[in-house]
Amino acid sequence: MYLSNVEVGQKARVVNIEGKEAAKRLFGYGILSGTSLELKARHPLRGPLVVSVGGTQVAVGRRMAEKIEVELDE
Amino acid sequence: MFKIVAVGNPNTGKSAVLNRLTGSRMLVSNYPGTSLEAAKVTASFGRHQAEIFDTPGIYSLFAPGLESEQILKLIEAEKPDLLVNVVDAGNLARNLVLTYELLTLEIPMLVLLNQIDSLREQGFSLDAGKLSVLLGCPVVSFSAVTGEGVLEAEQEIESFIHGRHKSSSGVGQEILLPIEFVLPENCSGKCFKCQQHREECLDRADLSRAERARRTAQTVCSRIGKRRRGHLQGLQRLVDRSLVGTVLLLGLAYLAFWALLQFISFSEGPISALLDPVAQTLQGFIQGVLPSGKIASILAQAVPEGLIIPFTIIMPAMLYVSILMALLEDSGLLPRYSVALERVGSLLGISGQGIIPLALGFGCRTPAIMATRILPNPYQRFLVVTLLSIVIPCSATLGVLASVMAAFHASLGIIMGTMLVTFLVLSLLLSRAVEREEFIYELPPLRVPALTNLLTKTRMRFSGFFTEVLPLLLVMNIGMRALIDSGALDYFRGMDALSRSLFGIPAEALVAVLITVFQRYLAPLVLLNLTMSPREATIAIAMIALSLPCLPAIVMTIREMGVKAQLKILGMGLITSFTVGAVLNLVLPSAL
């Protein structure tokens, strides 16, 4: 499943990021394979998603979120 | 001279740290992309002087983007003796990735752990000594807010200047990594020095550094107590909710915009009352001193005009917007606006925060052009400045246009519709040319901006009014007045047949379009002296509303983006205006 399908409040772990460019950019924000994150907010009309990762909050556009493959935490 | 380059992630408070260290004013905002230029300042440490370069915040030296390229170029060109890496102590794992990248440059380095006080508030402690051993370079716990660590950091820098820290770079304690993160044997991990790095091996090195950063952070950080709630956290949780937050942010923006209009209209009266006698004295003085003739009459009109208009409207608006920008940047609200407005912006093909200067433009376009500094890259800036210059009517323009429309019974609906359509078409056309990056922003914690930072930023931005905007405006005003008085525009008055066949308006009205650089004061007045049918007036007003920026806006654009960009915008403005005229002439029925 992808980050774009995660519900607000759910925690997940990144398993893969599709695309080199996306992986590069997300890397800078501390989002890479293995990173744990929690979905904080989901903006309407296919707007950005806000995730908390490490100690910070990062807003990710919907198209970017569709490239982040995640696994839900149990 | 001893050269220092300061590097750090965005939102680490790097500028505040440097201000503390140097006691001087540098202005590089912490917002990604705000400044592409490195600010330079000279400071003394003990008896020695050092040059310090501040750089825009970056997440990684290898990340795609202008900033990292520029920092690498700066380092190559200046060959600094010391790197100062400002690190956000509260977000160590991510910040250390950049630290490890910087270490591979093999330049002596000092790490400043900023915001150490807020880390403690979160209930953590950080072992700076251990971190120093792991990194192999001195590490100082720092707080730009309380001043903690300032002395220590200065002493460390002095030691570097004296050469006492020679063997301090890059020889940190090796951290054991799981096998999947270990670099292959033929790879040193020093990607900058590597002649043959390929994409995949760079990825491996990246991953390895990230894992090392994570483990290092884990080793040096420990929880010592409960997290104390920051007083803004409740508010932040509210703002970061998608719907409530957006409504809250838009409400706040509306309030700020309303206050801008109030501020302008409130200050206009007293300032012009104060300046009117000055202008008259000036006019009298010029007429008295210079021999009467063309030059005297041009100067007598242009000089007071060039002083009064900027002082009454531009100055208060620019002051207000300077304060507003500083508040937005330092409070952590700006990236939140980007998130809330991302959808609206994407309709127009601009990034979310581009909406802020566009909205400000309805108040006054000149400071709005300055406010485009908050945009992430020069292409986006150009796009928004173009829209501001050509299609966004400021409150003053709207007022004058409304009165002219009333005088000729021109069609309000057609003019407004034309403006809206032009705005959409132009923004879509332009955004085609501009590559839109995928949206990703860090949302820093909300904080109450430090008053000293606010004052410094406001003063730096606002001082440009006196040093650049005002003189340039005066000169251009004189030039413009000379052009009009020279009768060059009369040439166009003879082109009545052409004007009527192309745009359906008399040539006199076309001249009004051409002098819209005086938009607010002259163009509508020229129209008022003509006799025009509602149809002619509708076309002429639409052409004026969608043509050239006013003189102050032109001056501001030259200051912010350069002459070349301004010429492009002027060209596009004329094309837009003529296209609008021609299309309306074709489309509109012969009697309105």
Side-chain angles (χ1 to χ4, degrees):
Chain A
M1 97 186 272
Y2 291 91
L3 179 61
S4 43
N5 313 117
V6 175
E7 304 280 324
V8 174
Q10 277 183 330
K11 289 181 182 166
R13 208 171 51 85
V14 180
V15 275
N16 183 36
I17 293 167
E18 292 169 7
K20 262 219 130 66
E21 195 73 0
K24 267 262 107 101
R25 288 198 63 206
L26 287 165
F27 175 80
Y29 293 83
I31 300 175
L32 53 154
S33 287
T35 309
S36 301
L37 36 81
E38 181 185 343
L39 193 70
K40 286 289 185 187
R42 172 187 269 287
H43 284 258
L45 306 168
R46 287 181 56 77
L49 304 170
V50 180
V51 294
S52 117
V53 42
T56 50
Q57 309 233 36
V58 178
V60 183
R62 200 60 69 105
R63 277 197 303 162
M64 191 70 115
E66 281 163 358
K67 293 178 184 160
I68 305 174
E69 207 179 326
V70 297
E71 227 166 50
L72 284 185
D73 283 3
E74 294 310 312
Chain B
M1 203 187 301
F2 194 82
K3 283 181 184 165
I4 301 173
V5 171
V7 189
N9 280 19
N11 305 310
T12 52
K14 184 158 52 67
S15 298
V17 168
L18 294 182
N19 286 345
R20 271 280 185 184
L21 276 182
T22 60
S24 72
R25 283 168 248 122
M26 295 178 112
L27 190 75
V28 170
S29 172
N30 58 5
Y31 196 65
T34 320
S35 169
L36 285 173
E37 273 165 45
K40 188 172 85 171
V41 75
T42 309
S44 42
F45 295 93
R47 285 175 292 110
H48 295 267
Q49 296 253 306
E51 246 175 355
I52 304 183
F53 296 83
D54 192 3
T55 59
I58 53 162
Y59 293 107
S60 160
L61 284 171
F62 298 113
L66 287 169
E67 287 95 345
S68 29
E69 244 172 70
Q70 203 199 0
I71 291 175
L72 281 174
K73 264 191 211 145
L74 178 78
I75 290 175
E76 207 171 294
E78 298 292 340
K79 303 208 173 16
D81 304 283
L82 175 67
L83 293 179
V84 171
N85 177 210
V86 181
V87 161
D88 176 4
N91 199 356
L92 205 55
R94 202 195 60 201
N95 278 251
L96 285 180
V97 176
L98 179 63
T99 309
Y100 276 119
E101 288 180 2
L102 290 170
L103 283 173
T104 66
L105 289 171
E106 299 184 318
I107 298 169
M109 191 157 94
L110 169 67
V111 172
L112 297 181
L113 291 168
N114 193 31
Q115 296 167 12
I116 196 80
D117 49 327
S118 79
L119 182 83
R120 291 197 195 109
E121 258 168 43
Q122 287 173 37
F124 285 97
S125 86
L126 209 164
D127 189 339
K130 206 190 254 175
L131 184 59
S132 168
V133 173
L134 290 174
L135 294 175
C137 69
V139 174
V140 175
S141 295
F142 202 94
S143 169
V145 179
T146 63
E148 176 182 345
V150 173
L151 263 179
E152 214 185 318
E154 282 175 356
Q155 280 166 2
E156 291 287 355
I157 292 175
E158 252 192 275
S159 302
F160 273 109
I161 295 177
H162 291 300
R164 273 187 243 135
H165 268 314
K166 263 190 181 130
S167 62
S168 61
S169 163
V171 281
Q173 192 177 321
E174 202 41 59
I175 293 160
L176 284 178
L177 293 177
I179 186 78
E180 69 261 37
F181 295 108
V182 176
L183 293 172
E185 267 186 34
N186 56 355
C187 174
S188 64
K190 290 171 183 164
C191 306
F192 297 101
K193 313 235 162 199
C194 182
Q195 299 297 319
Q196 50 196 356
H197 71 231
R198 299 176 307 272
E199 276 298 302
E200 343 152 19
C201 84
L202 194 56
D203 284 351
R204 277 199 75 161
D206 269 349
L207 274 182
S208 164
R209 276 189 286 265
E211 184 60 20
R212 222 181 321 160
R214 203 178 63 81
R215 282 167 190 260
T216 307
Q218 254 174 10
T219 317
V220 298
C221 261
S222 49
R223 182 173 277 282
I224 45 165
K226 267 209 195 127
R227 178 195 191 95
R228 262 180 284 162
R229 273 273 208 88
H231 50 292
L232 282 179
Q233 271 185 5
L235 180 67
Q236 183 178 326
R237 214 168 306 144
L238 208 61
V239 172
D240 284 344
R241 298 246 300 266
S242 57
L243 279 177
V244 184
T246 305
V247 170
L248 217 68
L249 286 172
L250 290 181
L252 202 62
Y254 177 77
L255 216 66
F257 181 67
W258 176 82
L260 168 68
L261 293 185
Q262 292 297 310
F263 188 64
I264 294 177
S265 69
F266 177 77
S267 58
E268 191 175 354
I271 295 178
S272 61
L274 209 69
L275 283 181
D276 259 349
V278 179
Q280 272 170 18
T281 319
L282 210 60
Q283 195 166 359
F285 177 75
I286 291 170
Q287 279 166 337
V289 169
L290 290 177
S292 60
K294 256 232 155 87
I295 297 176
S297 83
I298 289 173
L299 286 182
Q301 246 191 318
V303 172
E305 228 173 41
L307 286 176
I308 297 273
I309 299 167
F311 269 115
T312 44
I313 295 154
I314 311 293
M315 183 182 72
M318 203 164 146
L319 176 65
Y320 182 90
V321 171
S322 299
I323 297 172
L324 199 67
M325 280 168 74
L327 271 174
L328 273 176
E329 285 170 355
D330 281 12
S331 60
L333 279 173
L334 184 56
R336 290 180 164 80
Y337 273 104
S338 310
V339 175
L341 296 170
E342 196 265 347
R343 287 289 85 196
V344 191
S346 76
L347 282 181
L348 303 171
I350 56 177
S351 58
Q353 68 271 42
I355 306 292
I356 296 173
L358 284 181
L360 286 174
F362 284 99
C364 181
R365 298 192 283 193
T366 309
I369 290 170
M370 178 175 77
T372 59
R373 285 187 194 178
I374 62 181
L375 287 171
N377 63 52
Y379 314 109
Q380 288 272 336
R381 276 192 84 186
F382 180 74
L383 201 161
V384 174
V385 170
T386 306
L387 288 177
L388 275 171
S389 301
I390 300 175
V391 277
I392 301 286
C394 63
S395 56
T397 315
L398 275 177
V400 178
L401 287 179
S403 63
V404 181
M405 273 186 242
F408 288 106
H409 304 289
S411 163
L412 177 70
I414 292 173
I415 292 171
M416 296 298 271
T418 310
M419 289 171 80
L420 199 67
V421 170
T422 310
F423 177 67
L424 290 175
V425 169
L426 201 62
S427 63
L428 285 181
L429 278 181
L430 283 170
S431 63
R432 280 283 157 97
V434 176
E435 201 185 324
R436 242 185 127 234
E437 277 190 339
E438 296 246 27
F439 184 90
I440 171 163
Y441 275 109
E442 181 185 348
L443 303 180
L446 283 188
R447 51 189 166 227
V448 180
L451 192 63
T452 47
N453 269 11
L454 276 187
L455 288 178
T456 319
K457 280 192 175 184
T458 306
R459 189 173 51 215
M460 299 278 292
R461 292 216 168 102
F462 181 58
S463 64
F465 171 78
F466 295 99
T467 55
E468 290 163 63
V469 176
L470 196 58
L472 196 52
L473 205 49
L474 196 60
V475 171
M476 293 198 50
N477 212 39
I478 294 170
M480 205 52 92
R481 173 59 60 188
L483 182 72
I484 291 176
D485 281 13
S486 73
L489 291 171
D490 288 339
Y491 175 73
F492 293 96
R493 293 208 166 87
M495 297 162 59
D496 206 52
L498 183 70
S499 173
R500 278 189 193 276
S501 69
L502 264 183
F503 310 120
I505 57 172
E508 295 275 349
L510 186 65
V511 172
V513 175
L514 292 174
I515 54 174
T516 36
V517 275
F518 276 121
Q519 205 158 32
R520 199 180 127 87
Y521 301 92
L522 273 183
L525 296 182
V526 175
L527 286 188
L528 283 177
N529 293 331
L530 304 174
T531 41
M532 284 194 293
S533 70
R535 183 182 194 271
E536 288 169 343
T538 304
I539 297 177
I541 293 169
M543 282 178 79
I544 286 179
L546 294 163
S547 55
L548 303 171
C550 60
L551 203 54
I554 291 179
V555 167
M556 186 59 92
T557 306
I558 292 175
R559 177 187 171 221
E560 295 287 319
M561 322 251 335
V563 177
K564 229 167 128 187
Q566 178 58 86
L567 288 178
K568 271 192 219 165
I569 293 174
L570 289 179
M572 278 193 278
L574 282 178
I575 293 171
T576 308
S577 182
F578 289 164
T579 313
V580 163
V583 170
L584 281 181
N585 187 32
L586 285 175
V587 173
L588 292 185
S590 53
L592 272 185

